Amino acid sequence: MRRLYIIGFSALLLACGAAKDVKKDYAAAPVEKYMNTITAQDLKKHLYIVAADSMEGRNTGSAGQKKAGRYLISQYEANGISFPKAAEGWYQTVPAAFMARAFSPSKLPDSENVWAFIEGTEKPEEILIISAHYDHVGMKNGEVYNGADDDGSGTVALLEIAQAFMEAKKQGYGPKRSILFLHVTGEEHGLHGSRYYSENPLFPIANTIADLNIDMIGRRDEEHTADGNYVYVIGSDRLSTDLHNINEAANAKYTHLKLDYKYNERNDPNQFYFRSDHYNFAKKGIPIIFYFNGVHADYHKATDKPNKIEYDLLTKRAQLAFVTAWELANRENRPVVDKDGK
C-alpha cells in the first residue's frame, strides 16, 4: 500500500507540474473585459482625491505632492502591485541640485518619482513604461491650483491601467513583458523627473521598448466642442512605424476614438512633442506616444478642478492607452525603431 501511495503521489506531483507549464492562449484573452475595469466611477473617485484642495496644488517637492504620492502608493498596494524588485522602495529621489537652474525664480526641494511594477511572464527584461506627471503648480496668492486635468487625469489613468493589468494577471494573463508605471515629478518646472529617470534608469534604456505618456486627457478643447470623442496623438510615428500602427489598430478594434494628429505635424507652432515627459525618452531613441486632449480655458488656472472633467472621455482615452499597452506588452516582437525621431 505504501508503495502504491508513493507512486500515486508522484503522479499527482507530475500532473501539477504539467498544469503549471500550460501557457495561456493570449489570443483568447478577454481584453475588452479588462479594459472595461477602467471606469468613470473609479477615475472620478481617485481624481477628487489627487486634485483635492488638501493636496495644495501638488507643487514639485511640496508637502501636498508628497501626500498625493502616498495616495498613489496606497492604491497600488490595495491592488497587490509592488515597486520594482530592483528598487529599494516606491520612490526614485530626484535631487534638488538636478532640478536647479540659474534662471529659475525659485529653488525646488528634493522630490520623488513614484514607480510601480508588474513583472513580465516571458520577457521580463523588456520594459514598457507608462508615464504621467503627478506634480502641478501649487498655490498662488492663497488659491489652490488643483491641476485636475493637468495632470491629475493622467495620474489616475495610470492607477486604473495598472489595476486592469493586475486583474488580467490574476486570471493567468500577466503581461509577457514587464510594465513600469512611472509617476514623474517636476514636469511643470522643466520635465525634470522624466529627465532624471532617462539619465538614471532603473532598467537599461536599450531594454525599454516604448513609453506611453498621458498628460491631460480629461477635457476637450475649443476645436472639439461639438464632439469630444477624440484624443490628440503625438509622436507615435516619429521613431517607429510599428508603434503608430499598433495604436491605430487598438483604437479601431476597441475604443473608436478619432485620433487627431494635428499637433504631430512637424511645423505645428505649439511643438507639444517637446513639451511633456515622453520627450526625454524619445531623445534616447525610445518609441513614444503622447496622449493629450489639447489646451482649454482652465489650463494652468485655479479653475482646473475635478468637477470640470468629462469622465466618460477620460475613461475612453485611458482605455485606449491600456489596449495599446496590452498589445505592446504581449506581442511577439517589440516595436521596430525605423525612423530618426524628427
Side-chain angles (χ1 to χ4, degrees):
M1 288 292 293
R2 186 171 182 274
R3 185 170 181 272
L4 287 173
Y5 170 80
I6 292 171
I7 293 171
F9 184 67
S10 299
L12 179 61
L13 286 175
L14 288 170
C16 290
K20 285 182 181 179
D21 290 338
V22 173
K23 291 185 177 181
K24 286 275 191 176
D25 178 10
Y26 277 70
V31 180
E32 194 164 5
K33 171 186 173 183
Y34 304 132
M35 178 189 81
N36 286 330
T37 67
I38 300 171
T39 66
Q41 180 180 3
D42 286 347
L43 288 162
K44 185 174 184 178
K45 178 191 74 172
H46 293 313
L47 190 53
Y48 266 82
I49 295 171
V50 168
D53 285 352
S54 61
M55 301 298 181
E56 299 179 336
R58 307 189 307 280
N59 198 16
T60 301
S62 69
Q65 189 200 30
K66 293 177 190 298
K67 183 176 181 181
R70 290 194 295 273
Y71 177 74
L72 301 178
I73 292 167
S74 75
Q75 296 310 296
Y76 285 117
E77 289 177 331
N79 283 312
I81 302 170
S82 188
F83 53 83
K85 288 189 292 188
E88 296 181 356
W90 289 100
Y91 300 111
Q92 181 186 40
T93 299
V94 181
F98 183 84
M99 297 185 282
R101 289 180 168 178
F103 56 83
S104 178
S106 60
K107 301 302 181 184
L108 297 170
D110 288 352
S111 190
E112 304 85 22
N113 293 331
V114 175
W115 46 30
F117 189 69
I118 297 178
E119 188 172 39
T121 59
E122 294 184 17
K123 300 181 179 183
E125 73 286 352
E126 294 189 8
I127 311 296
L128 169 64
I129 296 177
I130 310 177
S131 61
H133 72 90
Y134 74 111
D135 65 309
H136 193 52
V137 299
M139 299 177 66
K140 299 180 182 180
N141 300 318
E143 196 169 19
V144 177
Y145 283 58
N146 302 88
D149 193 27
D150 185 15
D151 185 28
S153 60
T155 298
V156 300
L158 256 64
L159 291 179
E160 283 291 284
I161 292 167
Q163 173 258 312
F165 271 108
M166 195 63 184
E167 185 64 26
K169 181 177 179 178
K170 290 174 182 175
Q171 297 182 16
Y173 293 103
K176 294 180 181 180
R177 293 179 175 85
S178 297
I179 305 176
L180 180 67
F181 303 93
L182 186 62
H183 298 267
V184 292
T185 187
E187 192 271 355
E188 299 288 5
H189 294 278
L191 313 184
H192 293 309
S194 57
R195 183 168 61 92
Y196 188 81
Y197 180 87
S198 71
E199 295 178 13
N200 302 273
L202 185 63
F203 303 100
I205 289 295
N207 291 0
T208 303
I209 68 160
D211 169 53
L212 302 182
N213 185 49
I214 308 173
D215 191 353
M216 298 177 59
I217 59 165
R219 298 281 296 272
R220 69 178 78 183
D221 64 5
E222 290 185 0
E223 292 196 21
H224 297 87
T225 54
D227 183 6
N229 191 53
Y230 77 97
V231 67
Y232 289 111
V233 176
I234 301 171
S236 62
D237 65 346
R238 298 274 183 129
L239 282 152
S240 174
T241 304
D242 277 348
L243 181 59
H244 177 81
N245 292 339
I246 288 165
N247 187 63
E248 285 269 350
N251 181 62
K253 185 174 182 178
Y254 294 107
T255 47
H256 314 294
L257 289 158
K258 176 189 175 184
L259 304 183
D260 193 325
Y261 294 100
K262 172 185 175 180
Y263 293 130
N264 194 48
E265 295 294 332
R266 276 42 170 189
N267 61 353
D268 180 73
N270 296 282
Q271 294 295 295
F272 286 121
Y273 177 65
F274 303 97
R275 292 172 55 184
S276 190
D277 293 297
H278 59 277
Y279 183 62
N280 283 316
F281 296 101
K283 286 194 302 184
K284 299 288 186 179
I286 297 170
I288 66 89
I289 295 177
F290 173 22
Y291 297 108
F292 180 50
N293 55 215
V295 174
H296 46 73
D298 299 306
Y299 174 68
H300 275 208
K301 294 182 180 178
T303 47
D304 182 9
K305 293 183 178 294
N307 65 317
K308 294 189 175 183
I309 296 295
E310 296 188 61
Y311 289 93
D312 57 336
L313 301 183
L314 173 54
T315 301
K316 287 194 72 173
R317 293 160 180 167
Q319 289 174 338
L320 172 59
F322 167 74
V323 292
T324 300
W326 177 276
E327 176 65 18
L328 289 166
N330 295 311
R331 72 198 304 262
E332 183 176 354
N333 297 312
R334 60 188 290 174
V336 173
V337 176
D338 58 354
K339 296 187 177 182
D340 62 7
K342 296 179 182 177

